[in-house]
């Protein structure tokens, strides 16, 4: 996912890890990406839909304070 995001013009900005159902052995990762110049959002979204079965997009924000 990280390599594909970079190829599409997005850099990793933040990673959060939360335990799944209180189990300390498995985690759910929340990834936040920052758009770089020339980024291709439709291509990244297509990749995520086709290649990552358990991904959920929580939001796409144009500007954050």
């Amino acid at each position: 996912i990280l390599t594909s995001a970079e190829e599409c013009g997005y850099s990793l900005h933040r990673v959060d890890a939360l335990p799944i159902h209180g189990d300390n052995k498995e985690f759910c990762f929340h990834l936040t990406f920052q758009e770089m110049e020339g980024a291709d959002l439709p291509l990244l979204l297509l990749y995520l839909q086709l290649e990552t079965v358990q991904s959920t997009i929580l939001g796409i924000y144009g500007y954050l304070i």
Side-chain angles (χ1 to χ4, degrees):
I1 292 173
L2 299 177
T3 300
S4 296
E6 189 173 311
E7 290 291 324
C8 292
Y10 289 86
S11 62
L12 184 63
H13 177 71
R14 179 179 173 167
V15 177
D16 294 305
L18 301 171
I20 297 175
H21 303 293
D23 184 0
N24 290 329
K25 297 178 183 176
E26 293 186 36
F27 291 87
C28 174
F29 294 94
H30 293 207
L31 306 175
T32 303
F33 294 97
Q34 185 172 1
E35 185 179 60
M36 297 183 294
E37 187 174 333
D40 189 348
L41 181 60
L43 183 59
L44 179 59
L45 295 177
L46 177 63
Y47 169 78
L48 291 173
Q49 287 294 327
L50 294 176
E51 296 294 330
T52 59
V53 177
Q54 296 178 340
S55 70
T56 302
I57 298 170
L58 298 178
I60 299 171
Y61 305 96
Y63 179 77
L64 294 176
I65 296 175

Coordinates of all heavy atoms in Angstrom, one line a residue:
I1 N 0.8 -1.2 0.0 CA 0.0 0.0 0.0 C 0.9 1.2 0.0 O 0.6 2.2 -0.7 CB -1.0 0.0 1.2 CG1 -2.0 -1.1 1.1 CG2 -1.6 1.4 1.4 CD1 -2.9 -1.3 2.3
L2 N 1.9 1.2 0.8 CA 2.8 2.4 0.9 C 3.5 2.7 -0.4 O 3.6 3.9 -0.8 CB 3.8 2.2 2.0 CG 3.2 2.1 3.4 CD1 4.3 1.8 4.5 CD2 2.3 3.2 3.8
T3 N 4.0 1.7 -1.0 CA 4.7 1.9 -2.3 C 3.7 2.4 -3.4 O 4.0 3.3 -4.2 CB 5.3 0.5 -2.8 OG1 6.3 0.1 -1.8 CG2 6.1 0.7 -4.1
S4 N 2.5 1.8 -3.4 CA 1.5 2.2 -4.4 C 1.1 3.6 -4.2 O 0.9 4.4 -5.1 CB 0.3 1.3 -4.4 OG 0.7 0.0 -4.8
A5 N 0.9 4.0 -2.9 CA 0.5 5.4 -2.6 C 1.6 6.4 -3.1 O 1.3 7.4 -3.7 CB 0.3 5.5 -1.1
E6 N 2.9 6.0 -2.8 CA 4.0 6.9 -3.3 C 4.0 7.0 -4.8 O 4.2 8.1 -5.3 CB 5.3 6.3 -2.8 CG 6.4 7.3 -3.0 CD 7.7 6.8 -2.3 OE1 7.6 6.4 -1.1 OE2 8.7 6.7 -3.0
E7 N 3.8 5.9 -5.5 CA 3.7 5.9 -7.0 C 2.6 6.8 -7.5 O 2.7 7.3 -8.6 CB 3.6 4.5 -7.5 CG 4.8 3.6 -7.3 CD 6.0 4.1 -8.2 OE1 5.8 4.5 -9.3 OE2 7.1 4.0 -7.7
C8 N 1.5 6.9 -6.7 CA 0.4 7.7 -7.1 C 0.5 9.1 -6.7 O -0.4 10.0 -6.9 CB -0.9 7.1 -6.6 SG -1.4 5.5 -7.3
G9 N 1.6 9.5 -6.0 CA 1.8 10.8 -5.6 C 1.4 11.2 -4.2 O 1.1 12.3 -3.9
Y10 N 1.4 10.2 -3.3 CA 1.0 10.4 -1.9 C 2.1 9.9 -0.9 O 2.6 8.9 -1.1 CB -0.3 9.7 -1.6 CG -1.5 10.4 -2.3 CD1 -1.8 10.0 -3.6 CD2 -2.2 11.4 -1.7 CE1 -2.9 10.6 -4.2 CE2 -3.3 12.0 -2.3 CZ -3.6 11.6 -3.6 OH -4.6 12.3 -4.2
S11 N 2.4 10.8 0.1 CA 3.4 10.4 1.1 C 2.7 10.0 2.4 O 1.6 10.6 2.7 CB 4.4 11.5 1.3 OG 3.8 12.6 1.8
L12 N 3.2 9.1 3.1 CA 2.7 8.7 4.4 C 2.8 9.9 5.4 O 3.9 10.4 5.6 CB 3.3 7.5 4.9 CG 2.8 6.9 6.2 CD1 1.3 6.5 6.0 CD2 3.6 5.7 6.7
H13 N 1.7 10.3 6.0 CA 1.8 11.4 6.9 C 1.7 10.9 8.3 O 2.3 11.5 9.2 CB 0.6 12.4 6.6 CG 0.5 13.5 7.5 ND1 1.4 14.6 7.5 CD2 -0.4 13.8 8.5 CE1 1.0 15.4 8.4 NE2 0.0 15.0 9.0
R14 N 0.9 9.9 8.6 CA 0.6 9.5 9.9 C 0.1 8.0 9.9 O -0.6 7.6 9.0 CB -0.4 10.3 10.6 CG -0.8 10.0 12.0 CD -1.8 11.0 12.5 NE -2.3 10.5 13.8 CZ -3.0 11.2 14.6 NH1 -3.3 12.5 14.3 NH2 -3.4 10.8 15.8
V15 N 0.5 7.2 11.0 CA 0.0 5.9 11.2 C -0.5 5.7 12.6 O 0.2 6.1 13.5 CB 1.2 4.8 10.9 CG1 0.7 3.4 11.2 CG2 1.7 4.9 9.5
D16 N -1.7 5.2 12.7 CA -2.2 4.9 14.1 C -2.5 3.4 14.1 O -3.0 2.9 13.1 CB -3.5 5.7 14.3 CG -3.3 7.2 14.4 OD1 -2.4 7.6 15.2 OD2 -3.9 7.9 13.7
A17 N -2.2 2.7 15.2 CA -2.5 1.3 15.3 C -3.4 1.1 16.5 O -3.1 1.5 17.6 CB -1.2 0.5 15.4
L18 N -4.5 0.4 16.3 CA -5.4 0.1 17.4 C -5.6 -1.4 17.5 O -5.8 -2.1 16.4 CB -6.8 0.7 17.1 CG -6.8 2.2 16.9 CD1 -8.1 2.7 16.4 CD2 -6.4 2.9 18.2
P19 N -5.6 -2.0 18.7 CA -5.9 -3.4 18.8 C -7.3 -3.8 18.3 O -8.2 -3.1 18.5 CB -5.7 -3.7 20.3 CG -5.5 -2.4 21.0 CD -5.5 -1.3 20.0
I20 N -7.3 -5.0 17.7 CA -8.6 -5.5 17.2 C -9.3 -6.2 18.3 O -8.8 -7.2 18.8 CB -8.4 -6.4 16.0 CG1 -7.8 -5.6 14.8 CG2 -9.7 -7.0 15.5 CD1 -7.4 -6.4 13.6
H21 N -10.5 -5.8 18.7 CA -11.4 -6.5 19.7 C -10.6 -6.8 21.0 O -10.7 -7.8 21.5 CB -12.0 -7.8 19.1 CG -12.7 -7.6 17.9 ND1 -13.9 -6.9 17.8 CD2 -12.5 -7.9 16.6 CE1 -14.4 -6.8 16.6 NE2 -13.5 -7.5 15.8
G22 N -9.8 -5.9 21.4 CA -9.1 -6.0 22.7 C -7.9 -7.0 22.6 O -7.3 -7.3 23.6
D23 N -7.7 -7.6 21.5 CA -6.6 -8.6 21.3 C -5.3 -7.8 21.1 O -5.2 -7.0 20.2 CB -6.8 -9.5 20.1 CG -5.8 -10.6 20.0 OD1 -4.8 -10.6 20.8 OD2 -5.9 -11.4 19.0
N24 N -4.3 -8.0 21.9 CA -3.0 -7.3 21.8 C -2.1 -7.9 20.7 O -1.0 -7.4 20.5 CB -2.3 -7.3 23.1 CG -3.0 -6.4 24.1 OD1 -3.6 -5.4 23.7 ND2 -2.9 -6.8 25.4
K25 N -2.5 -8.9 20.0 CA -1.7 -9.6 19.0 C -2.0 -9.1 17.5 O -1.2 -9.2 16.6 CB -1.8 -11.1 19.1 CG -1.3 -11.6 20.4 CD -1.4 -13.1 20.5 CE -0.9 -13.6 21.8 NZ -1.2 -15.0 22.0
E26 N -3.3 -8.6 17.3 CA -3.7 -8.2 16.0 C -4.1 -6.7 16.1 O -4.7 -6.3 17.0 CB -4.9 -9.0 15.5 CG -4.5 -10.4 15.2 CD -5.6 -11.2 14.6 OE1 -6.4 -10.6 13.8 OE2 -5.8 -12.4 14.9
F27 N -3.7 -6.0 15.0 CA -4.0 -4.5 15.0 C -4.7 -4.1 13.8 O -4.5 -4.7 12.7 CB -2.7 -3.7 15.2 CG -2.0 -3.9 16.5 CD1 -1.2 -4.9 16.8 CD2 -2.3 -3.0 17.5 CE1 -0.6 -5.1 18.1 CE2 -1.8 -3.1 18.8 CZ -0.9 -4.2 19.1
C28 N -5.4 -3.0 13.9 CA -6.0 -2.3 12.8 C -5.2 -1.0 12.6 O -5.0 -0.3 13.5 CB -7.5 -2.0 13.1 SG -8.3 -1.0 11.8
F29 N -4.7 -0.8 11.4 CA -3.9 0.4 11.1 C -4.7 1.4 10.4 O -5.4 1.1 9.4 CB -2.7 0.0 10.3 CG -1.7 -0.9 11.0 CD1 -1.8 -2.3 10.9 CD2 -0.8 -0.4 11.8 CE1 -0.9 -3.1 11.6 CE2 0.1 -1.2 12.6 CZ 0.0 -2.6 12.4
H30 N -4.6 2.6 10.8 CA -5.2 3.8 10.2 C -4.0 4.6 9.5 O -3.2 5.1 10.3 CB -6.0 4.7 11.2 CG -7.2 4.0 11.7 ND1 -8.2 4.7 12.2 CD2 -7.5 2.7 11.9 CE1 -9.2 3.8 12.6 NE2 -8.7 2.6 12.5
L31 N -4.0 4.7 8.2 CA -3.0 5.4 7.5 C -3.5 6.7 7.0 O -4.6 6.8 6.5 CB -2.5 4.6 6.3 CG -2.0 3.2 6.6 CD1 -1.7 2.4 5.3 CD2 -0.9 3.1 7.6
T32 N -2.7 7.8 7.2 CA -3.1 9.1 6.7 C -2.0 9.5 5.7 O -0.8 9.5 6.0 CB -3.2 10.1 7.8 OG1 -4.1 9.7 8.8 CG2 -3.6 11.5 7.3
F33 N -2.4 9.9 4.5 CA -1.5 10.3 3.4 C -1.6 11.8 3.1 O -2.7 12.3 3.2 CB -1.8 9.5 2.1 CG -1.5 8.0 2.3 CD1 -2.6 7.1 2.6 CD2 -0.3 7.5 2.1 CE1 -2.3 5.8 2.7 CE2 0.0 6.2 2.3 CZ -1.1 5.3 2.6
Q34 N -0.5 12.3 2.7 CA -0.5 13.7 2.2 C -0.2 13.8 0.7 O 0.7 13.1 0.2 CB 0.6 14.5 3.0 CG 0.6 16.0 2.7 CD 1.6 16.7 3.6 OE1 2.3 16.1 4.4 NE2 1.7 18.0 3.4
E35 N -1.0 14.6 0.0 CA -0.9 14.7 -1.4 C 0.3 15.5 -1.8 O 0.6 16.5 -1.2 CB -2.2 15.4 -1.9 CG -2.2 15.4 -3.4 CD -3.5 16.1 -3.9 OE1 -3.7 17.3 -3.5 OE2 -4.3 15.4 -4.6
M36 N 1.1 14.9 -2.8 CA 2.2 15.6 -3.3 C 1.8 16.2 -4.7 O 0.7 15.9 -5.2 CB 3.4 14.7 -3.4 CG 3.9 14.2 -2.1 SD 5.3 13.1 -2.2 CE 4.7 11.7 -3.1
E37 N 2.7 17.0 -5.3 CA 2.4 17.6 -6.6 C 2.2 16.4 -7.6 O 3.0 15.5 -7.7 CB 3.5 18.5 -7.0 CG 3.2 19.3 -8.3 CD 4.3 20.3 -8.6 OE1 5.0 20.7 -7.7 OE2 4.5 20.6 -9.8
G38 N 1.2 16.6 -8.5 CA 1.0 15.6 -9.5 C 0.3 14.3 -9.0 O 0.3 13.3 -9.7
A39 N -0.3 14.3 -7.9 CA -0.9 13.1 -7.3 C -2.1 12.7 -8.2 O -2.8 13.5 -8.8 CB -1.4 13.4 -5.9
D40 N -2.4 11.4 -8.2 CA -3.5 10.8 -9.0 C -4.4 10.0 -8.0 O -4.2 8.8 -7.8 CB -2.9 9.9 -10.0 CG -3.9 9.4 -11.0 OD1 -5.1 9.6 -10.8 OD2 -3.5 8.8 -12.1
L41 N -5.4 10.8 -7.5 CA -6.3 10.2 -6.5 C -7.1 9.0 -7.1 O -7.2 8.0 -6.5 CB -7.2 11.2 -5.9 CG -8.2 10.7 -4.8 CD1 -7.4 10.1 -3.6 CD2 -9.0 11.9 -4.3
P42 N -7.7 9.2 -8.3 CA -8.5 8.1 -8.8 C -7.7 6.8 -9.0 O -8.2 5.7 -8.7 CB -9.0 8.6 -10.2 CG -9.0 10.1 -10.0 CD -7.8 10.4 -9.1
L43 N -6.4 6.9 -9.3 CA -5.6 5.7 -9.5 C -5.4 5.0 -8.1 O -5.4 3.8 -8.0 CB -4.3 6.0 -10.2 CG -3.3 4.9 -10.4 CD1 -4.0 3.8 -11.3 CD2 -2.0 5.4 -11.1
L44 N -5.1 5.8 -7.1 CA -4.9 5.3 -5.8 C -6.1 4.6 -5.2 O -6.1 3.5 -4.7 CB -4.4 6.4 -4.8 CG -4.2 5.9 -3.4 CD1 -3.1 4.8 -3.3 CD2 -3.8 7.1 -2.5
L45 N -7.3 5.2 -5.4 CA -8.6 4.6 -5.0 C -8.8 3.3 -5.7 O -9.3 2.4 -5.1 CB -9.7 5.6 -5.2 CG -9.6 6.9 -4.3 CD1 -10.8 7.8 -4.7 CD2 -9.6 6.6 -2.9
L46 N -8.5 3.3 -7.0 CA -8.7 2.1 -7.8 C -7.9 0.9 -7.2 O -8.3 -0.2 -7.0 CB -8.4 2.3 -9.3 CG -8.5 1.1 -10.2 CD1 -9.9 0.5 -10.2 CD2 -8.0 1.4 -11.6
Y47 N -6.6 1.2 -7.0 CA -5.7 0.3 -6.4 C -6.2 -0.3 -5.0 O -6.3 -1.5 -4.8 CB -4.3 0.8 -6.2 CG -3.4 -0.1 -5.3 CD1 -2.8 -1.2 -5.9 CD2 -3.2 0.2 -4.0 CE1 -2.1 -2.1 -5.1 CE2 -2.5 -0.7 -3.2 CZ -1.9 -1.8 -3.8 OH -1.2 -2.7 -3.0
L48 N -6.7 0.6 -4.2 CA -7.2 0.2 -2.9 C -8.4 -0.7 -3.0 O -8.5 -1.7 -2.2 CB -7.5 1.5 -2.0 CG -6.3 2.3 -1.6 CD1 -6.8 3.6 -0.9 CD2 -5.4 1.5 -0.7
Q49 N -9.3 -0.4 -3.9 CA -10.5 -1.2 -4.1 C -10.1 -2.6 -4.7 O -10.7 -3.6 -4.3 CB -11.5 -0.5 -5.0 CG -12.2 0.6 -4.4 CD -13.1 0.2 -3.3 OE1 -13.7 -0.9 -3.3 NE2 -13.2 1.0 -2.3
L50 N -9.1 -2.7 -5.6 CA -8.8 -3.9 -6.2 C -7.9 -4.8 -5.4 O -7.9 -6.0 -5.5 CB -8.2 -3.6 -7.6 CG -9.2 -3.0 -8.6 CD1 -8.4 -2.7 -9.9 CD2 -10.3 -3.9 -8.9
E51 N -7.0 -4.2 -4.7 CA -5.9 -5.0 -4.1 C -5.9 -5.1 -2.6 O -5.3 -5.9 -2.0 CB -4.5 -4.4 -4.5 CG -4.2 -4.5 -5.9 CD -4.1 -5.9 -6.4 OE1 -3.6 -6.8 -5.7 OE2 -4.4 -6.1 -7.6
T52 N -6.7 -4.3 -1.9 CA -6.8 -4.4 -0.4 C -8.2 -4.7 0.0 O -9.0 -3.9 0.1 CB -6.3 -3.1 0.2 OG1 -7.1 -2.0 -0.2 CG2 -4.9 -2.7 -0.1
V53 N -8.3 -6.0 0.3 CA -9.7 -6.5 0.7 C -10.3 -5.8 1.9 O -11.4 -5.5 2.0 CB -9.6 -8.0 0.9 CG1 -11.0 -8.6 1.3 CG2 -9.1 -8.7 -0.4
Q54 N -9.4 -5.6 2.9 CA -10.0 -5.1 4.2 C -9.8 -3.6 4.4 O -9.7 -3.1 5.5 CB -9.3 -5.8 5.3 CG -9.6 -7.3 5.3 CD -8.9 -8.0 6.5 OE1 -7.9 -7.6 7.0 NE2 -9.5 -9.2 6.8
S55 N -9.6 -2.8 3.3 CA -9.5 -1.4 3.5 C -10.8 -0.7 3.5 O -11.7 -1.1 2.8 CB -8.6 -0.8 2.4 OG -9.2 -0.8 1.2
T56 N -10.9 0.4 4.2 CA -12.1 1.2 4.3 C -11.6 2.7 4.2 O -10.8 3.1 5.1 CB -12.9 1.0 5.6 OG1 -13.3 -0.3 5.7 CG2 -14.1 1.9 5.6
I57 N -12.1 3.5 3.3 CA -11.7 4.9 3.2 C -12.6 5.6 4.1 O -13.9 5.6 4.0 CB -11.8 5.4 1.8 CG1 -10.9 4.6 0.9 CG2 -11.6 6.9 1.7 CD1 -11.1 4.8 -0.6
L58 N -12.0 6.3 5.1 CA -12.8 7.0 6.1 C -13.1 8.5 5.7 O -14.0 9.1 6.2 CB -12.1 7.0 7.5 CG -11.9 5.7 8.1 CD1 -11.1 5.8 9.4 CD2 -13.2 5.0 8.3
G59 N -12.3 9.0 4.7 CA -12.6 10.4 4.3 C -11.5 10.9 3.3 O -10.4 10.4 3.3
I60 N -11.9 11.8 2.5 CA -11.0 12.5 1.6 C -11.2 14.0 1.9 O -12.3 14.5 1.7 CB -11.3 12.2 0.2 CG1 -11.1 10.7 -0.1 CG2 -10.4 13.0 -0.8 CD1 -11.6 10.2 -1.4
Y61 N -10.1 14.6 2.4 CA -10.2 16.0 2.8 C -9.3 16.9 1.9 O -8.2 16.6 1.7 CB -9.8 16.2 4.3 CG -10.6 15.2 5.2 CD1 -10.1 14.0 5.6 CD2 -11.8 15.6 5.6 CE1 -10.8 13.2 6.4 CE2 -12.6 14.8 6.4 CZ -12.1 13.5 6.8 OH -12.8 12.7 7.6
G62 N -9.9 18.0 1.4 CA -9.1 18.9 0.6 C -8.2 19.8 1.4 O -7.2 20.2 0.9
Y63 N -8.6 20.1 2.6 CA -7.8 21.0 3.4 C -8.1 20.8 4.8 O -9.2 20.6 5.3 CB -8.2 22.5 3.1 CG -7.4 23.5 3.9 CD1 -6.1 23.8 3.5 CD2 -8.0 24.1 4.9 CE1 -5.4 24.7 4.3 CE2 -7.3 25.1 5.7 CZ -6.0 25.3 5.3 OH -5.3 26.2 6.1
L64 N -7.0 20.7 5.6 CA -7.1 20.5 7.1 C -6.4 21.6 7.7 O -5.3 22.0 7.3 CB -6.5 19.2 7.5 CG -7.2 17.9 7.0 CD1 -6.5 16.7 7.4 CD2 -8.6 17.9 7.6
I65 N -6.9 22.2 8.8 CA -6.3 23.2 9.5 C -5.2 22.7 10.4 O -5.2 21.7 11.0 CB -7.3 24.0 10.4 CG1 -8.3 24.7 9.5 CG2 -6.6 25.0 11.3 CD1 -9.4 25.3 10.2

